[in-house]
Amino acid sequence: MRLDKYISDAMQISRTDARKLITKASICVNGQVCRKADTQLSPTDVVSCEGQPLEQREEFVYIMLNKPLGVVSASNDKRDTTVVDLLQGSFPRRTLFPAGRLDKTSTGFILLTDDGKFAHEILAPKKHIEKEYLVTIDTPFTPEMQQGFAQGVTLADGTRLAPATASATEDACKVCVVLTQGVYHQIKRMFGVYGAGVNELHRLRMGELYLDENLAAGEWRKLTVQEIQKICSRPVKR
Ligand code: URA
């Protein structure tokens, strides 16, 4: 990549302003002042501006967020706080959106990105990406529920769902549910078929990636390339 483009991408400034910095001798390549805007950089070259190393801007951003109760999985909303609001303007030049939804009353793992293709891949029904939830119901979990989930529940409106895994935990009312589908209010409606209400629903995992236990409700962090690939095997550009 040309030096002026690299600076403009990394510093989020125009190419004209990048060239001004080069003219002012503010830019070094591998420790040497470089005055040629059209210098072609190799991947190992280190560029700095007034002594500060410049990192190339990532093409896309991928964020893991622990959604709190009462926050909506949307980019903007007139009444409620959204998952994008929780990023507090940390990515001013990007349009981030949630890749997948959780109900307002659900909590846990939400993925935010500006990579539309990636979001499409992980949400595509034919990809069957697993999502794991810890669900608290208002009645003890029964073998009938477990078998019904495994066979594929038929919802009250006649929708026939794909088989899902439901496993008991030490608490009779807490169930670990793994889905490969994303139907509106799916888990609540599945338990509803057995007359059970859902009190709490927390997403723990997407693909092979677990929600970081160090993230308190409302906290977030960027994913590493390795983590992104645990959700979706498509090569990720950064
Ligand atoms: N199923 C639900 O009912 N709600 C969610 O938020 C996610 C899955």
Side-chain angles (χ1 to χ4, degrees), residues 101-103 106 133 179 183 185-189 201:
R101 290 184 167 267
L102 281 176
D103 296 339
S106 301
Y133 303 83
L179 301 183
V183 171
H185 289 334
Q186 183 166 342
I187 293 179
K188 290 177 185 152
R189 292 162 75 195
L201 199 156

Side-chain angles (χ1 to χ4, degrees), residues 44-232:
T44 54
D45 285 334
V46 177
V47 180
S48 59
C49 176
E50 285 159 10
Q52 295 297 314
L54 297 183
E55 300 223 350
Q56 183 58 293
R57 183 182 192 254
E58 297 144 336
E59 186 170 7
F60 297 115
V61 165
Y62 306 85
I63 301 218
M64 167 195 284
L65 178 135
N66 185 359
K67 186 184 102 54
L69 211 57
V71 169
V72 292
S73 305
S75 301
N76 45 58
D77 192 274
K78 286 202 187 97
R79 273 182 318 181
D80 294 307
T81 303
T82 71
V83 285
V84 172
D85 293 335
L86 296 177
L87 303 177
Q88 297 186 307
S90 302
F91 303 93
R93 296 263 208 119
R94 296 185 184 265
T95 309
L96 287 156
F97 56 89
R101 290 184 167 267
L102 281 176
D103 296 339
K104 186 172 164 182
T105 52
S106 301
T107 57
F109 194 163
I110 279 275
L111 193 110
L112 292 143
T113 185
D114 51 354
D115 181 347
K117 277 194 188 150
F118 176 84
H120 179 75
E121 286 270 318
I122 66 167
L123 300 176
K126 64 175 188 314
K127 294 281 170 179
H128 306 298
I129 294 200
E130 286 191 351
K131 287 161 204 109
E132 182 174 336
Y133 303 83
L134 185 61
V135 187
T136 310
I137 52 177
D138 61 2
T139 169
F141 180 54
T142 63
E144 189 202 359
M145 295 177 192
Q146 188 167 37
Q147 283 155 20
F149 279 30
Q151 280 160 14
V153 171
T154 302
L155 297 177
D157 66 359
T159 308
R160 182 80 209 267
L161 297 175
T165 313
S167 343
T169 67
E170 282 174 5
D171 181 330
C173 291
K174 281 194 198 295
V175 188
C176 185
V177 177
V178 179
L179 301 183
T180 54
Q181 256 180 317
V183 171
Y184 184 63
H185 289 334
Q186 183 166 342
I187 293 179
K188 290 177 185 152
R189 292 162 75 195
M190 287 164 81
F191 279 109
V193 168
Y194 298 90
V198 168
N199 290 341
E200 286 171 27
L201 199 156
H202 186 73
R203 183 148 71 201
L204 297 165
R205 174 170 70 88
M206 293 177 77
E208 296 302 310
L209 184 63
Y210 282 88
L211 179 64
D212 185 335
E213 288 179 0
N214 295 315
L215 292 177
E219 289 185 344
W220 57 272
R221 69 164 173 81
K222 280 190 188 179
L223 295 184
T224 63
V225 173
Q226 290 77 13
E227 286 178 327
I228 298 158
Q229 273 154 1
K230 284 186 168 182
I231 302 181
C232 170

